[in-house]
Amino acid sequence: EQQGLLGAGVYGVESILRLYHRKIAKISRQLENIKKNREQMLNRSTDIPSIAIAGYTNAGKTSIFNALASLNQKVDSSMFTTITPKKYKIKVDHLGIMLIDTVGFIRGIPPQIIDAFFVTLSEIKYATGILMIIDISIEDTIIMDMLKSSFDILRELGISGKPIIVVANKSDKLNNKELIDSKLNLIKKISDELYYPIID
Ligand SMILES: Nc1nc2c(ncn2[C@@H]2O[C@H](COP(=O)(O)OP(=O)(O)OP(=O)(O)O)[C@@H](O)[C@H]2O)c(=O)[nH]1
Ligand SMILES: [Mg+2]
């Protein structure tokens, strides 16, 4: 035990730190349980086919979700507009499909954030298929980085072999057809290199 002027102060700080360490440990245990329950719930295969709309934050996932589901969920140019994503059942050729909006990816996503968003992102893991939305109005190098890290994140979530349709969004922001074609070629080339869907 430290005596003197600093004694009480150091002791005080240490006890506060111990308290927070205990709180963090408790919350981590609760989060683990939520993850487990949620995974078990999502893993049930009795539901109708589901399509998860995934991709970088601000790519336009919710805009596409709204268009397909005729809904009006919040859309905005800031990052992480969607924090608690919505699911909605739509009909395609008389077949019921569960459409799932998701939380956006970011580059070099820190493990803590992955943890916090893991529960919502794990919806993607149990979806029948994925629409991967890419904003093609930005620079080629950034598109390449985003695509690569998006496939990395899917891998970190334990996803492989699931059918994925890569959707080129915001093409209206590009002013000529040649430019759009070159972006489409770029995303097709990278996607083919990085991912092998298994469709049965
Ligand atoms: N020009 C243009 N803008 C679009 C298009 N799709 C979406 N946007 C705009 O892009 C911004 C982001 O759209 P959101 O649908 O909120 O994107 P998100 O991927 O859901 O974003 P987060 O929820 O933050 O991950 C909004 O300002 C939209 O209006 C498009 O096809 N063209
Ligand atoms: Mg959104």
Side-chain angles (χ1 to χ4, degrees), residues 13 28 36 44 51 62 78 87 106 110 124 126 139 141 150 152 170 183 189:
V13 169
S28 301
K36 260 188 228 139
R44 285 186 207 138
I51 300 293
T62 304
S78 58
K87 290 183 188 186
I106 50 164
I124 306 173
Y126 298 107
E139 262 177 61
T141 49
S150 296
D152 281 346
K170 305 198 189 181
K183 302 278 188 184
K189 182 171 163 280

Side-chain angles (χ1 to χ4, degrees), residues 55-64 74-83 101-105 133 169-173:
Y56 256 68
T57 181
N58 209 39
K61 299 179 295 300
T62 304
S63 303
I64 288 174
K74 188 174 180 222
V75 156
D76 193 79
S77 59
S78 58
M79 285 167 68
F80 297 117
T81 305
T82 309
I83 297 291
D101 193 9
T102 65
V103 171
F105 304 152
I133 316 301
N169 196 31
K170 305 198 189 181
S171 60
D172 58 295
K173 286 174 100 177

Side-chain angles (χ1 to χ4, degrees), residues 142-193:
I142 302 178
I143 293 178
M144 285 164 71
D145 274 1
M146 285 182 167
L147 251 182
K148 282 183 185 151
S149 64
S150 296
F151 283 112
D152 281 346
I153 291 168
L154 293 186
R155 209 170 304 121
E156 279 170 39
L157 289 167
I159 294 164
S160 71
K162 212 183 273 295
I164 297 181
I165 296 176
V166 180
V167 179
N169 196 31
K170 305 198 189 181
S171 60
D172 58 295
K173 286 174 100 177
L174 300 171
N175 48 21
N176 68 72
K177 191 174 175 308
E178 287 72 38
L179 192 54
I180 295 175
D181 283 344
S182 88
K183 302 278 188 184
L184 292 180
N185 285 335
L186 177 73
I187 60 174
K188 178 154 183 18
K189 182 171 163 280
I190 297 173
S191 307
D192 286 348
E193 277 170 17

